[in-house]
Amino acid sequence: MLDLDNTIAAYNEHSPAESVKEWFASLRKSDIKPFIISNSTRTKRVESFAEALDCEFIMRAAKPSPKALKRAMAESGFTSEQSALVGDQTFTDVLAARLAGTTPILVRPRAFTNLFLALRYYIEVPIRLMCRDKH
C-alpha cells in the first residue's frame, strides 16, 4: 500500500512521473500488488493517479485510522504480514500501519511545497533520526 501525496507524487503534480509508472510496473512483475491509500479528498486527482498507475485506491482514508488499510488488505486478499504501507509521515502513515498490524516504510517526502508541510516534517525529524536505518 502506498500513500499518494508527497510519497508517490508531490502535492502540485497532477500525473505520475514516467519513473513512477515504471516502478509500479516492476512491482507488479514481482507479484506485488500496489494499492493507493490516501487521505486526500481530491477525487479527480486520486482517481487519475490510480488509473494511470493501474491500481486500486481508497481515498479519504482518515489515517492514522487503520480502517482503510485493513479494507485494502481484505480486498486484495493479503494478510497484514504480507503487506506494508509506504508513506512520508510518521503521525499518519507509520501510525496507521502500526495500528493495522502491518509494516510501515517511511520515505523522504518528494517536495516541500509550503511552510505548513516544512514545519510538519521538521517536527518529525527527531523521530526520523531515531528510526534511521532501523529496517
Side-chain angles (χ1 to χ4, degrees):
M1 298 171 282
L2 299 111
D3 175 50
L4 174 58
D5 292 324
N6 242 1
T7 299
I8 296 172
Y11 285 93
N12 59 356
E13 292 179 310
H14 300 291
S15 61
E18 198 58 40
S19 61
V20 173
K21 289 179 184 178
E22 291 168 6
W23 183 60
F24 267 62
S26 73
L27 290 174
R28 279 190 284 290
K29 286 180 184 174
S30 299
D31 291 329
I32 297 172
K33 183 177 182 176
F35 201 119
I36 294 173
I37 308 288
S38 178
N39 281 352
S40 180
T41 59
R42 297 166 57 191
T43 305
K44 288 184 181 184
R45 182 170 188 268
V46 177
E47 286 178 348
S48 69
F49 268 87
E51 183 178 327
L53 296 170
D54 189 28
C55 70
E56 295 180 59
F57 68 94
I58 295 174
M59 56 183 297
R60 296 181 184 92
K63 293 175 288 179
S65 169
K67 189 175 181 180
L69 281 70
K70 290 179 179 183
R71 182 176 136 207
M73 288 185 279
E75 287 179 13
S76 299
F78 291 101
T79 66
S80 58
E81 292 82 14
Q82 297 170 309
S83 303
L85 175 66
V86 179
D88 65 304
Q89 296 181 52
T90 56
F91 299 120
T92 56
D93 303 314
V94 171
L95 186 54
R98 292 280 186 211
L99 292 171
T102 194
T103 303
I105 301 172
L106 183 64
V107 297
R108 289 187 187 101
R110 300 219 9 133
F112 296 106
T113 54
N114 65 48
L115 182 60
F116 173 73
L117 289 175
L119 180 61
R120 186 177 65 203
Y121 290 114
Y122 178 76
I123 292 169
E124 293 182 356
V125 166
I127 296 167
R128 289 174 179 269
L129 290 173
M130 287 186 328
C131 299
R132 194 167 166 206
D133 300 324
K134 188 172 182 179
H135 297 285

